């Protein structure tokens, strides 16, 4: 079992070398070629995918930033609008208050004026009526001019305070 | 040598073995037991005939030996030569199919994908770690070694099959090629001058008569170990199976026959693993030795400048 057979060694070497040359041309070169080209292709694809991913991430970041900006802007617009409205409201109310107060004052003045006019009229009317009445009640010889002063004084005294 | 080839194919040997075992029953001694094992061992050994289904034993052509100088070359076609060729034909067919499949499909699939798995394994786990990227140019040799040994190993596990790698002449031939490749890789990498300088071991010249024979011997021990390792592993597995079957004919008892058969099945699975393992080990060690030669070159450079 352990003896060497030179013929078999020769056959082994011949067969091996034949197999080696046939396979190198027909199998190993094409297999390794396909393998390396595919590996390169995968490398390129991976790099491209990474680039695309980076770009997508950049776009996303950009989008997010713009969204945040828009959000902020809209918030500001709303806040400004609200402030303006508040101010406008206060102004309108103030104006209304003012005009109403003004109107009330005017009305009060009018009333006072009317009252005074009325009082003056009333007073003269009362004086006349009183004189007429006094003339009728008291005797006719009463000196009109002389007593008029007294009656005026009386009327002045009865004037409501 | 397998379970089925033993049990079904070789009726002749089985009959003779059974007769031998029957003889063991009587007062017969080691003579008949020796006869039995002689019959069984013949399955592992080379023979000038092969067994085929239906045809039985087929005698192979005998070629008269060549005499070259004092060496006698018996280049008769024997069983193991036939299995060398069967393995070669199978390997060429399978590898070509894989190459064609991978060239056709952009994404490898099926058989091409399986072959590529091994090719990538050989390249990334065996060649590049040991020889660096410079070793890729030896890929055809390394791949052929791996697959050829693997297929020869596996052929021993099928019915009617035989492992050519269980023959020391075949592993010797493979080791001889490995030896040449190791030297070629070393010489190509470091140049013939550095290669020869390395044989002196870097010792002063008076010691060269001692050092050079030792270094040259060192070159031969590596492939010698490759040769013996592969041969012994493949033969050993087959002998274990043969011996287990021998137990059946010695004890002639059903329980032992069943147990033995179970053992043989288990050993067959082990052999399947060993077939891959030994192809890997042979290839791996060849690459390590080639890589050593390729690396030594760089160390020598530095040493020479230091001198």
């Amino acid at each position: 079992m352990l003896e060497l057979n030179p013929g078999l060694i020769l056959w082994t070497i011949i067969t091996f070398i034949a197999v080696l040359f046939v396979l190198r041309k027909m199998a190993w070169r094409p297999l390794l070629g396909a393998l390396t080209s595919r590996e390169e292709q995968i490398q390129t694809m991976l790099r491209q995918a990474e680039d695309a991913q980076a770009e997508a991430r950049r776009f996303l970041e950009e989008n997010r930033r713009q969204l945040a900006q828009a959000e902020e802007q809209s918030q500001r617009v709303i806040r400004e609008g609200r402030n303006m409205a508040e101010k406008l409201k206060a102004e309108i109310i103030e104006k209304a208050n003012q005009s109403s107060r003004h109107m009330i004052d005017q009305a009060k003045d009018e009333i006072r004026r009317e009252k005074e006019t009325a009082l003056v009229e009333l007073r003269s009317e009362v004086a006349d009526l009183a004189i007429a009445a006094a003339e009728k009640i008291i005797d006719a010889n009463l000196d009109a001019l002389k007593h008029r002063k007294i009656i005026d004084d009386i009327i002045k005294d009865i004037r409501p305070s | 040598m397998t379970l089925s080839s033993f049990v079904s194919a070789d009726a002749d040997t089985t009959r003779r073995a059974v007769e031998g075992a029957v003889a063991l029953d009587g007062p017969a001694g080691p003579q008949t037991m020796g006869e039995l094992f002689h019959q069984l061992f013949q399955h592992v050994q080379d023979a000038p005939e092969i067994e085929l289904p239906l045809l039985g034993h087929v005698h192979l052509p005998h070629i008269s030996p060549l005499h070259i100088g004092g060496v006698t070359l018996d280049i008769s076609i024997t069983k193991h030569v036939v299995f060398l060729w069967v393995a070669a034909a199978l390997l060429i067919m399978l590898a070509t199919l894989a190459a064609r499949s991978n060239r056709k499909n952009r994404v490898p699939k099926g058989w091409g994908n399986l072959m590529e798995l091994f090719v990538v394994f050989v390249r990334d786990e065996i060649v590049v770690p040991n020889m660096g990227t410079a070793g890729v140019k030896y890929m055809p040799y390394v791949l052929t070694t791996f697959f050829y040994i693997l297929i020869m190993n596996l052929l021993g596990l099928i019915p009617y099959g035989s492992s050519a790698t269980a023959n020391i002449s075949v592993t010797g031939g493979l080791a001889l090629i490995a030896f040449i490749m190791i030297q070629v890789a070393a010489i190509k990498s470091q140049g013939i001058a550095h290669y020869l300088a390395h044989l002196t071991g870097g010792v002063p010249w008076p010691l060269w008569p001692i050092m050079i024979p030792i270094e040259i011997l060192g070159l031969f021990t590596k492939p010698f170990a490759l040769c013996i390792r592969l041969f012994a592993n493949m033969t050993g597995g087959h002998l274990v199976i043969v011996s287990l079957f021998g137990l059946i004919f010695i004890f002639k008892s059903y329980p032992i026959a069943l147990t033995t058969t179970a053992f043989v099945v288990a050993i067959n699975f082990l052999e399947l693993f060993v077939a891959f393992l030994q192809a890997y080990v042979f290839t791996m060690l060849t690459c390590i030795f080639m890589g050593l030669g390729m690396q030594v070159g760089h160390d020598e450079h530095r040493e020479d400048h230091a001198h």
Side-chain angles (χ1 to χ4, degrees):
Chain A
M1 193 184 291
L2 281 169
E3 70 274 12
L4 280 171
N5 176 358
L8 190 49
I9 296 178
L10 188 70
W11 275 127
T12 306
I13 292 171
I14 290 171
T15 316
F16 184 90
I17 289 172
V19 170
L20 173 61
F21 278 96
V22 170
L23 284 185
R24 191 170 66 167
K25 189 171 169 1
M26 284 173 70
W28 305 143
R29 289 253 165 90
L31 263 176
L32 289 169
L35 186 63
T36 39
S37 73
R38 180 147 27 80
E39 275 172 347
E40 275 161 18
Q41 202 176 4
I42 290 170
Q43 285 281 346
T44 335
M45 279 174 168
L46 273 179
R47 210 172 314 118
Q48 279 171 353
E50 268 166 22
D51 287 353
Q53 202 182 19
E55 195 163 352
R57 199 173 292 141
R58 214 172 52 238
F59 274 133
L60 191 70
E61 203 58 42
E62 177 88 355
N63 265 1
R64 207 171 278 157
R65 207 164 49 78
Q66 279 180 350
L67 205 66
Q69 227 171 17
E71 178 84 2
E72 201 192 340
Q73 209 162 0
S74 70
Q75 285 289 342
R76 208 178 60 229
V77 167
I78 291 173
R79 206 167 48 241
E80 273 174 8
R82 194 178 289 148
N83 282 351
M84 198 174 271
E86 289 280 343
K87 218 162 75 188
L88 214 61
K89 188 175 121 192
E91 241 166 54
I92 289 169
I93 290 175
E94 180 59 28
K95 215 178 268 176
N97 277 347
Q98 225 171 357
S99 76
S100 69
R101 224 180 290 124
H102 185 68
M103 273 158 74
I104 289 169
D105 284 353
Q106 263 184 341
K108 273 184 183 164
D109 279 357
E110 194 107 337
I111 289 166
R112 204 177 57 238
R113 256 200 320 276
E114 289 293 322
K115 204 169 104 184
E116 271 168 14
T117 327
L119 271 175
V120 169
E121 267 174 26
L122 191 65
R123 227 174 267 150
S124 70
E125 192 102 340
V126 166
D128 287 349
L129 278 175
I131 289 163
E135 272 176 0
K136 275 179 189 151
I137 295 164
I138 306 159
D139 208 295
N141 57 0
L142 207 70
D143 187 359
L145 280 174
K146 197 177 165 188
H147 292 101
R148 174 147 190 124
K149 176 103 170 68
I150 301 162
I151 290 160
D152 274 349
D153 286 347
I154 292 165
I155 288 164
K156 223 175 252 174
D157 284 346
I158 64 168
R159 181 181 176 183
S161 52
Chain B
M1 180 65 228
T2 65
L3 187 150
S4 33
S5 83
F6 182 79
V7 170
S8 63
D10 192 358
D12 190 33
T13 313
T14 314
R15 186 175 48 72
R16 270 179 284 161
V18 171
E19 280 166 2
V22 170
L24 282 172
D25 266 0
Q31 191 116 38
T32 35
M33 184 123 71
E35 170 76 9
L36 166 70
F37 277 100
H38 178 70
Q39 295 286 346
L40 296 175
F41 284 148
Q42 273 195 342
H43 280 267
V44 185
Q45 286 181 316
D46 205 0
E49 57 184 24
I50 55 168
E51 307 159 30
L52 291 174
L54 303 177
L55 295 174
H57 293 255
V58 175
H59 281 273
L60 296 161
H62 179 78
I63 300 169
S64 49
L66 296 175
H67 296 281
I68 302 163
V71 187
T72 308
L73 271 178
D74 179 14
I75 52 167
S76 300
I77 314 298
T78 62
K79 184 170 76 173
H80 284 155
V81 175
V82 170
F83 278 96
L84 274 175
W85 292 345
V86 170
L90 259 176
L91 177 55
I92 288 171
M93 199 180 74
L94 294 176
T96 311
L97 271 178
R100 197 167 299 163
S101 152
N102 274 16
R103 209 164 11 178
K104 198 175 64 200
N105 301 316
R106 202 164 151 221
V107 175
K109 59 179 191 182
W111 177 248
N113 199 2
L114 181 67
M115 275 293 271
E116 192 178 286
L117 179 79
F118 283 100
V119 171
V120 170
F121 174 78
V122 168
R123 191 192 61 181
D124 292 347
E125 303 295 327
I126 300 179
V127 171
V128 172
N130 290 309
M131 291 190 262
T133 43
V136 174
K137 64 171 176 284
Y138 297 112
M139 275 295 281
Y141 163 69
V142 178
L143 284 171
T144 309
T145 305
F146 177 76
F147 283 106
Y148 197 35
I149 292 175
L150 177 63
I151 288 183
M152 283 195 286
N153 290 350
L154 290 175
L155 279 179
L157 296 177
I158 58 167
Y160 299 104
S162 167
S163 284
T165 42
N167 187 310
I168 197 163
S169 300
V170 172
T171 60
L174 293 171
L176 205 61
I177 295 165
F179 171 77
I180 292 166
M181 286 309 291
I182 291 165
Q183 310 318 317
V184 165
I187 292 169
K188 268 199 172 175
S189 166
Q190 39 183 307
I192 187 79
H194 286 295
Y195 172 77
L196 291 174
H198 179 65
L199 287 181
T200 65
V203 296
W205 66 266
L207 289 174
W208 286 7
I210 305 169
M211 203 60 201
I212 291 174
I214 292 175
E215 286 282 343
I216 288 174
L217 207 61
L219 296 179
F220 284 97
T221 50
K222 292 164 187 167
F224 180 71
L226 285 179
C227 159
I228 297 295
R229 180 181 300 107
L230 183 56
F231 158 72
N233 271 291
M234 297 323 295
T235 309
H238 294 177
L239 284 185
V240 167
I241 293 173
V242 165
S243 307
L244 284 171
F245 274 129
L247 290 178
I248 299 175
F249 299 105
I250 291 169
F251 289 100
K252 295 212 307 176
S253 109
Y254 282 111
I256 286 184
L258 283 174
T259 318
T260 307
T261 309
F263 264 84
V264 169
V265 171
I267 296 289
N268 252 308
F269 280 111
L270 181 70
E271 282 295 286
L272 190 61
F273 169 68
V274 168
F276 281 88
L277 182 74
Q278 289 306 321
Y280 167 70
V281 166
F282 192 101
T283 315
M284 183 70 171
L285 288 174
T286 306
C287 287
I288 288 175
F289 297 147
M290 286 170 82
L292 282 177
M294 289 161 83
Q295 269 166 10
V296 162
H298 303 295
D299 293 343
E300 281 301 299
H301 272 294
R302 256 174 262 132
E303 269 180 35
D304 281 0
H305 289 305
H307 276 290

